[in-house]
Amino acid sequence: MQTDGEMRMLTFQLGQIERMIADQLGAEGNNFIRIGKSLIINRSYIYYINVTKQKLTLSDVATFSHTVTASKEALKQLKELIEKEATL
């Protein structure tokens, strides 16, 4: 909300948001990852991936929990990426 009480909405393509995150956060921007065509998530909050039910739960394990849906392929790729990083 603006100081004049008016609401303003801006629209961006997800690719533009990805670039903004990279530009503004630098190396910390690597915590954010694009999932499929419609989601950007903070990988630090990945709690549970259920590929078959197409659900991804993000949580801080204390006060915050949110579940989103994504394609099976996107979640499968995310799970493989996380498993690969865990073995490095």
Side-chain angles (χ1 to χ4, degrees):
M1 184 174 297
Q2 300 292 318
T3 56
D4 62 5
E6 292 290 319
M7 297 281 293
R8 307 263 190 316
M9 181 183 297
L10 302 174
T11 58
F12 294 96
Q13 294 177 342
L14 211 51
Q16 292 172 301
I17 300 296
E18 282 183 294
R19 285 189 294 282
M20 283 186 230
I21 289 170
D23 292 344
Q24 294 181 17
L25 298 180
E28 289 182 32
N30 292 333
N31 286 341
F32 292 87
I33 186 168
R34 186 167 179 171
I35 307 299
K37 296 179 181 180
S38 61
L39 294 171
I40 296 176
I41 61 158
N42 185 331
R43 68 173 70 209
S44 300
Y45 290 94
I46 296 172
Y47 181 73
Y48 182 70
I49 300 170
N50 187 325
V51 176
T52 56
K53 291 187 178 181
Q54 296 179 255
K55 301 287 184 188
L56 169 65
T57 301
L58 305 168
S59 179
D60 67 359
V61 192
T63 59
F64 167 80
S65 181
H66 184 73
T67 301
V68 296
T69 59
S71 72
K72 287 182 182 180
E73 185 58 33
L75 292 176
K76 181 180 172 189
Q77 289 175 2
L78 175 62
K79 189 172 184 177
E80 289 171 357
L81 174 69
I82 291 170
E83 289 171 348
K84 181 181 174 184
E85 289 175 348
T87 60
L88 295 179

